[in-house]
Amino acid sequence: MKLLCSVLLLSLLNISTCILASAQNNDSLGSDQKFVLGKVEVLHSSILSENRILNVYLPEGYDSTARYPIIYLLDGSADEDFIHVAGIVQFNTFPWVNRLPKSIVIGIANINRKYDFTSKSDRSSDNKLVPRNGGSTRFISFIEQELQPYVEKKYGSSEGNTIIGQSLGGLLATEILFTKPQLFDKYIIISPSLWWRDGYLLRSSPSILNSNYSAPTKIYIGVGKEGSIDGSKEHIMEEDARLLADKLQKGLSRHVNVYFDYLPEEDHSTITHQAVFNAFRMLYPKQK
């Protein structure tokens, strides 16, 4: 049986490879054709008083009448995480992989990342690293009041919302989880910069910890061997990430599931790709 399955899988892969090769080697296409990964949209934000660029990946065979899960990607510029995360999503939706349902990816391109992803800090070490900070409340309002309504109007009511954030993006994703948890039902939080404001989020008591919190929520927290980013001995990235996972796992709600993933072979620069792949595997376990 295992041999038969292997033969069938190899056959499928060979057929798919031939189809792709045939499509891209078609002489009738001519030369210098564009390779299109997604599309770029511009959304004007009254809250932020600026235009925001959105990089959008639509799944193969996209049907405008169907409903899809929406994956919101912080650090979603073309030169940040959009291309490789869209690739991970595409791979996981291949029929022979079938790990992830076909999904739309909305990459939010940055303008002033450090300002948008941080709450206001009076801590001198924070202000030395990020002199202009404190825009997270407005940015979260932008996501809730402008971005999500725009996406749902254009692409239809979603089959679930996921947010992906790494580093300061992980800090923002954690702030959303603690202040507006029902904006997303899946959180992929990678190497969150919880040292911000001396770990204030780790000391807070969010509603998601309460027994009456009833929105089904899955949370993946991934971290590598990263040490201290802000130079302090009090906040080691992997320790803070584990404290966050422990805090959430001790919550009283039966509707919250937390997955902690330590990746000692990765550091702050290399962790995102592997962590996103692992997150999809944990958040969408294969049905036996």
Side-chain angles (χ1 to χ4, degrees), residues 35-63:
F35 185 93
V36 179
L37 176 66
K39 59 179 182 173
V40 179
E41 300 179 12
V42 179
L43 171 62
H44 178 74
S45 170
S46 298
I47 293 172
L48 302 177
S49 300
E50 61 193 14
N51 290 333
R52 298 305 299 241
I53 290 178
L54 307 176
N55 294 308
V56 181
Y57 166 80
L58 300 177
E60 183 180 359
Y62 170 73
D63 179 357

Side-chain angles (χ1 to χ4, degrees), residues 192-234:
S193 297
L194 297 171
W195 48 265
W196 186 255
R197 290 176 55 190
D198 196 26
Y200 83 105
L201 286 172
L202 293 173
R203 299 192 302 273
S204 65
S205 300
S207 63
I208 197 169
L209 301 180
N210 298 337
S211 60
N212 62 355
Y213 184 82
S214 59
T217 306
K218 291 185 176 182
I219 305 159
Y220 167 92
I221 300 168
V223 67
K225 190 174 180 62
E226 304 181 41
S228 173
I229 301 300
D230 70 339
S232 70
K233 295 181 180 179
E234 293 82 10

Side-chain angles (χ1 to χ4, degrees), residues 141-200:
S141 295
F142 158 70
I143 292 173
E144 178 183 20
Q145 299 173 29
E146 295 180 326
L147 179 57
Q148 286 188 337
Y150 168 84
V151 170
E152 294 210 355
K153 181 178 180 181
K154 185 153 189 174
Y155 296 106
S157 179
S158 74
E159 281 290 307
N161 289 325
T162 298
I163 187 169
I164 300 175
Q166 188 263 345
S167 192
L168 285 178
L171 174 71
L172 182 73
T174 305
E175 184 177 347
I176 295 172
L177 177 67
F178 280 18
T179 60
K180 299 274 187 176
Q182 295 186 30
L183 288 185
F184 302 95
D185 49 39
K186 293 182 178 66
Y187 287 79
I188 299 177
I189 299 172
I190 304 167
S191 304
S193 297
L194 297 171
W195 48 265
W196 186 255
R197 290 176 55 190
D198 196 26
Y200 83 105

